Amino acid sequence: MQIQAVLPGAVGTESGHRGLPVEKFPQEIVMPVEAGVDAALAGLDQGELVTILSLPDIEIGKLCRRPGKALRPNLSLSQPAARYSTEYKTH
């Protein structure tokens, strides 16, 4: 049995993000649902306990003792991080 926490950022669901319609957010921070699901499953396959979908470098995530500047700009992007090797491209 494996447990995983997924931190998706803004994902383009019907219910929006935090109760707001996704149309209200800049499109560069809204990830398509399908891309988010595939990236989460890739993180699970890689054995990650915590998967941050758009975080490009897992080493940045290890800075969680001092998150802020390094982590914040990568918490919500329109595409999963390249390390999850999904085929989704929004640009």
Side-chain angles (χ1 to χ4, degrees):
M1 180 180 194
Q2 186 174 342
I3 296 173
Q4 173 196 36
V6 177
L7 298 137
V11 176
T13 63
E14 290 180 18
S15 62
H17 179 71
R18 296 186 176 183
L20 296 173
V22 293
E23 296 80 24
K24 299 282 186 184
F25 292 90
Q27 287 306 296
E28 63 269 10
I29 72 162
V30 179
M31 186 178 298
V33 173
E34 298 83 7
V37 170
D38 285 349
L41 292 173
L44 185 68
D45 288 344
Q46 293 175 32
E48 292 183 350
L49 295 176
V50 177
T51 299
I52 303 173
L53 300 182
S54 57
L55 188 68
D57 185 352
I58 193 65
E59 295 303 314
I60 295 172
K62 292 179 182 176
L63 298 174
C64 284
R65 292 188 183 123
R66 296 178 299 149
K69 292 181 183 176
L71 201 53
R72 189 171 294 125
N74 295 295
L75 290 179
S76 189
L77 297 172
S78 63
Q79 298 181 40
R83 62 193 176 93
Y84 296 121
S85 302
T86 63
E87 61 187 72
Y88 298 96
K89 301 287 181 205
T90 58
H91 302 287

